[in-house]
Amino acid sequence: MYVLLSSRYALRGWHGLPFGLHDRKSGRNLLLDAESFHALSLCDGSTPILFPLVPAPLIDRVKSHIREGLAQICEPGTALPDDQAYRKTESRFTDLVQWSITGKYNLPCRHCYMDAPKAKYGELSTRQCLEIVDQFHAANVGRVALTGGEPLVRRDFWQIVDALIEKGIVLSQLYTNGVLLTDQTLAEFERRALRPTMVMSFDGIGSHDWVRGVAGAEDKAVEAISRAVQAGFPVSIETALYKGNLRRLKATYALLKELGIISWKVSRMMSTGAWARKGDQMDAPRQALFDAYLELGAHHHRDGAPFELALGGLYYGPKGSSLWMSPFNKFSGQADAAKQTACQSCRLHPYIMADGRLLPCIPMTGSQVEQDMPRLTETTLSRGLRGSAYFDRIDTRLDQVFVNNRGCRSCAHRFKCGGGCRAAAMTAGTDYFGADPDACFFFRNGYDEKLARKLKSSPASPMEIARARHAASLSKAPAAFIGSQIDRSQPPASERRTASAMAFQDRRRFGLACSLSQILCWRWRRCEASRGVMGNAMPLYLAG
């Protein structure tokens, strides 16, 4: 019997994580245990699977992969295409790269973190952008989200998109204000067989024009949302809250539900860029903000969760599910959380600024962290991810936060929130190791208990949330804000397996092995001694 890897998948590896599988359709990179990887390595069309020297368990695993659609029986000598063959990089693992391809914008937004109307960060040349695409390919990056500024203002936008396609990199998301999202633009995506999630800004009924600084912007945004949904594109909405739109949340909720979006992310205005200079008097008071979150989360819960909803760090509810959780509860609550990384999302979702700098996340734009970051015009993505000031930041552990922050060090909630978001701490006026005031307010005012009482249920486990997200993704399109989460904090060497034993371990316990779309979130966990599994991988963490 001869077996060939399904054309949808390719074998990949990264520094420290040598056994991976790339889903060429979704762009997701998944990690395999050694046995699954070796079984798929035999699926090259030339290796006789039933050869006497092939161990029986490996044969069984190959047969299992055939049943699961990862491989199929083929004629002897059928060649595996080069782009599906194993390719290992010295880059660290990434799930998705967020790339600002321009600092230019077509609306004078009052809250722009990049000061985009002034094009403070400019944009790289076409040649430089194409070189960065080559860097993605060399680092085994599977998918990219394009943002700005407004990415559609670039005259060479389609040249950049075509370069991604040529390298087999999936355009997963496009961040846009919708002004340039015409029927012709959508047709260009369809002509390329692309249907990225359109992540569109909408700052509320009766408020959008003021925030965007242009009369009529609200009508154009609603038209663009409707146009994209009707054309079959998944649409995700992001809303920035301030005093003026806080009271219109429920009306905006009703409109977005009617429009048929797949997800809505709501967060406060960040004190960066343009808003940092003139927005303080318009900031929503923290208690009013959290109380509004509480009411809207309860409404979403009672309404059957018609779309995925994220309300700051207070509430997250998957589409079509009665489950919920509070993302402020990022860690286990146990003392061993001190060795976890302070932010797991930025380890897997690096951000590239319009001037080519690598940054842990978008809200750190303009902060003191920005100045030390490597530029991809001077180094490569692989080098930047492995050994640079960027890596030093994303590798920050909770115990480092506690050492540098007396308030967090003595707080009873520190092993749940880990001091909160590093970017939020800086934009609130403290330093990189400071406390996130929203996280402090959440725990010290008992909002976790208030939410449970309001929803008349307890928060779900991360595993249950992951399953609910998967169920939602089966209907139309992958839900927004989902990433393969891997925390690289490891148990002692004597108590762990190799990094290859990350994702498809313990099939009987989770029932998720080899079903790529089901394995959403992974991080290192210590084994259950009774099972004798060391470094057991568990789908646990919700990206904030």
Side-chain angles (χ1 to χ4, degrees):
M1 181 175 69
Y2 293 82
V3 179
L4 193 68
L5 185 67
S6 169
S7 61
R8 177 168 175 166
Y9 304 109
L11 297 175
R12 296 291 182 260
W14 297 265
H15 174 76
L17 298 170
F19 302 146
L21 192 66
H22 171 60
D23 183 340
R24 303 167 77 197
K25 182 177 180 180
S26 70
R28 294 188 182 278
N29 289 324
L30 283 299
L31 300 176
L32 306 175
D33 65 20
E35 186 178 9
S36 287
F37 178 83
H38 292 319
L40 289 175
S41 297
L42 296 177
C43 302
D44 59 3
S46 300
T47 302
I49 302 301
L50 301 181
F51 192 69
L53 295 181
V54 178
L58 205 55
I59 295 174
D60 291 340
R61 185 63 65 93
V62 170
K63 292 179 178 179
S64 176
H65 291 335
I66 293 172
R67 290 193 298 271
E68 293 152 347
L70 296 179
Q72 62 272 328
I73 297 173
C74 67
E75 293 296 322
T78 305
L80 184 69
D82 290 343
D83 57 355
Q84 288 184 261
Y86 182 62
R87 187 176 74 230
K88 185 176 182 294
T89 176
E90 289 307 307
S91 174
R92 289 185 179 273
F93 180 91
T94 60
D95 174 57
L96 174 145
V97 174
Q98 300 179 81
W99 183 17
S100 175
I101 58 174
T102 182
K104 299 176 182 179
Y105 204 63
N106 53 349
L107 295 177
C109 300
R110 298 177 187 270
H111 67 313
C112 181
Y113 66 93
M114 295 182 68
D115 279 350
K118 300 177 183 178
K120 175 181 177 181
Y121 294 97
E123 64 182 29
L124 300 180
S125 67
T126 302
R127 178 184 59 80
Q128 289 171 316
C129 287
L130 298 182
E131 288 174 351
I132 288 178
V133 172
D134 289 339
Q135 292 184 31
F136 292 160
H137 183 256
N140 282 348
V141 171
R143 57 192 186 125
V144 169
L146 294 183
T147 181
E150 170 56 55
L152 291 174
V153 303
R154 281 197 70 125
R155 293 182 178 180
D156 58 359
F157 174 80
W158 294 112
Q159 190 174 351
I160 294 171
V161 170
D162 288 340
L164 291 170
I165 294 172
E166 182 183 355
K167 296 295 184 181
I169 300 166
V170 173
L171 175 56
S172 176
Q173 297 169 321
L174 177 71
Y175 286 73
T176 177
N177 58 32
V179 172
L180 299 176
L181 199 64
T182 63
D183 288 335
Q184 182 180 355
T185 304
L186 295 175
E188 285 294 322
F189 281 112
E190 291 182 329
R191 188 171 69 82
R192 292 167 171 81
L194 293 176
R195 285 191 181 271
T197 297
M198 299 297 174
V199 185
M200 301 175 66
S201 302
F202 184 69
D203 295 308
I205 292 176
S207 301
H208 191 76
D209 283 5
W210 182 85
V211 174
R212 301 292 152 177
V214 174
E218 180 176 327
D219 290 341
K220 289 183 178 179
V222 172
E223 290 171 6
I225 294 168
S226 179
R227 181 182 301 116
V229 170
Q230 290 176 12
F233 287 79
V235 174
S236 175
I237 300 299
E238 294 195 355
T239 298
L241 288 183
Y242 70 106
K243 283 182 180 178
N245 59 5
L246 190 61
R247 66 182 182 276
R248 302 186 179 105
L249 273 177
K250 283 193 176 179
T252 302
Y253 175 101
L255 173 63
L256 296 179
K257 176 182 175 181
E258 180 182 350
L259 289 172
I261 67 166
I262 64 165
S263 66
W264 187 22
K265 181 181 179 182
V266 184
S267 55
R268 66 160 61 248
M269 291 282 193
M270 297 291 285
S271 186
T272 58
W275 195 258
R277 295 194 302 274
K278 55 189 177 185
D280 289 350
Q281 294 182 350
M282 296 299 294
D283 283 338
R286 189 163 281 115
Q287 183 165 343
L289 180 73
F290 275 54
D291 287 347
Y293 283 164
L294 198 63
E295 292 299 323
L296 190 61
H299 179 70
H300 177 260
H301 190 69
R302 291 192 301 268
D303 196 31
F307 47 76
E308 181 178 270
L309 179 62
L311 300 173
L314 186 139
Y315 172 86
Y316 169 79
K319 179 181 177 180
S321 173
S322 61
L323 302 178
W324 64 275
M325 67 177 294
S326 293
F328 278 133
N329 275 296
K330 295 198 293 183
F331 301 98
S332 66
Q334 306 300 314
D336 61 0
K339 295 301 180 183
Q340 299 280 332
T341 50
C343 179
Q344 283 123 12
S345 180
C346 68
R347 292 178 67 87
L348 298 172
H349 305 144
Y351 169 59
I352 301 172
M353 298 174 62
D355 62 3
R357 267 179 287 194
L358 195 58
L359 201 63
C361 67
I362 291 175
M364 289 188 185
T365 303
S367 70
Q368 70 267 28
V369 169
E370 175 187 295
Q371 303 306 315
D372 298 328
M373 295 296 105
R375 293 177 184 266
L376 299 190
T377 53
E378 300 169 356
T379 185
T380 66
L381 179 62
S382 294
R383 293 193 190 102
L385 293 176
R386 283 194 59 187
S388 66
Y390 169 83
F391 180 75
D392 292 341
R393 292 293 183 181
I394 67 169
D395 198 45
T396 299
R397 308 285 164 157
L398 294 194
D399 54 10
Q400 292 175 266
V401 175
F402 301 153
V403 165
N404 289 278
N405 185 328
R406 181 180 299 177
C408 286
R409 187 164 67 243
S410 60
C411 179
H413 305 292
R414 65 189 182 280
F415 296 127
K416 294 181 181 178
C417 76
C421 171
R422 300 299 89 223
M426 287 191 292
T427 57
T430 59
D431 62 17
Y432 183 78
F433 295 105
D436 174 355
D438 281 348
C440 293
F441 190 86
F442 173 83
F443 285 104
R444 291 176 180 174
N445 290 276
Y447 274 91
D448 46 351
E449 291 90 355
K450 290 179 182 178
L451 190 58
R453 289 196 298 270
K454 194 80 173 177
L455 272 58
K456 299 180 181 179
S457 62
S458 299
S461 71
M463 181 62 180
E464 292 172 316
I465 291 290
R467 285 174 174 160
R469 280 178 145 178
H470 168 60
S473 74
L474 292 179
S475 58
K476 288 187 178 179
F481 319 121
I482 298 176
S484 292
Q485 293 297 322
I486 301 154
D487 179 72
R488 299 183 199 284
S489 56
Q490 301 178 13
S494 61
E495 297 185 59
R496 69 173 188 259
R497 295 175 94 177
T498 63
S500 62
M502 282 290 296
F504 287 89
Q505 302 177 24
D506 207 348
R507 297 161 59 86
R508 289 168 295 179
R509 180 172 180 182
F510 298 125
L512 294 176
C514 302
S515 181
L516 296 178
S517 57
Q518 289 179 306
I519 302 179
L520 302 176
C521 310
W522 299 99
R523 71 176 179 183
W524 283 103
R525 293 288 286 175
R526 179 170 291 211
C527 69
E528 293 180 66
S530 63
R531 298 180 66 87
V533 179
M534 294 181 286
N536 193 29
M538 299 176 70
L540 275 177
Y541 189 75
L542 170 64

